């Protein structure tokens, strides 16, 4: 079970990275964003192992591991779905999913606009 769910988390994270093209499309990509993404990926890959370790130490039947997988899985799914919408592929996202991740989409759009403005300010030399 541990190996299957860990593979699933790695696969979801891979798909999330595949949809990062949305940041290229709107011009908000920055190298700091990529570096932070690498740290987030390492963290997300280590946490299920930590949950498994906690379960082994406390002799629980996968409760900590399952909680961590569920918590991070929901967040990753929301982020991935919002990236799909930002990339212009919203026709593939069901309406119920669009409603669930609407706040994530708004947050990503606001963050992208802020990054784009900072990038323009920096390139113009107004810093």
């Amino acid at each position: 079970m541990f190996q299957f769910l860990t593979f699933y988390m790695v696969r979801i994270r891979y798909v999330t990275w595949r949809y990062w093209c949305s940041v290229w499309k709107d011009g908000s990509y920055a190298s700091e964003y990529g570096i932070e993404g690498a740290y987030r990926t390492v963290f997300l890959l280590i946490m299920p192992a930590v949950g498994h370790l906690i379960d082994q130490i406390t002799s629980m039947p996968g409760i900590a591991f399952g909680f961590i997988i569920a918590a991070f899985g929901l967040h990753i799914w929301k982020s991935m779905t919002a990236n799909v919408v930002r990339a212009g592929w919203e026709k593939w996202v069901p309406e119920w999913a669009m409603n669930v991740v609407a706040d994530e989409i708004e947050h990503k759009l606001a963050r992208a606009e802020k990054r784009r403005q900072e990038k323009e300010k920096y390139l113009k030399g107004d810093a």
Side-chain angles (χ1 to χ4, degrees), residues 38-115:
Y39 289 132
R40 281 191 306 268
T41 298
V42 169
F43 177 76
L44 288 173
L45 292 176
I46 289 174
M47 286 310 294
V50 170
H52 181 68
L53 181 64
I54 290 169
D55 287 334
Q56 294 297 313
I57 291 171
T58 60
S59 299
M60 291 190 300
I63 294 172
F65 176 75
F67 177 78
I68 289 172
I69 290 291
F72 286 136
L74 178 63
H75 173 73
I76 291 169
W77 174 77
K78 282 184 169 185
S79 179
M80 181 182 67
T81 306
N83 286 342
V84 167
V85 171
R86 283 188 58 219
W89 301 335
E90 59 274 349
K91 70 178 185 176
W92 299 104
V93 179
E95 188 66 34
W96 64 266
M98 293 280 277
N99 294 334
V100 172
V101 300
D103 59 333
E104 182 77 14
I105 294 170
E106 290 174 16
H107 175 73
K108 284 183 178 286
L109 291 174
R111 188 176 63 202
E113 183 61 31
K114 180 182 172 199
R115 282 193 181 125

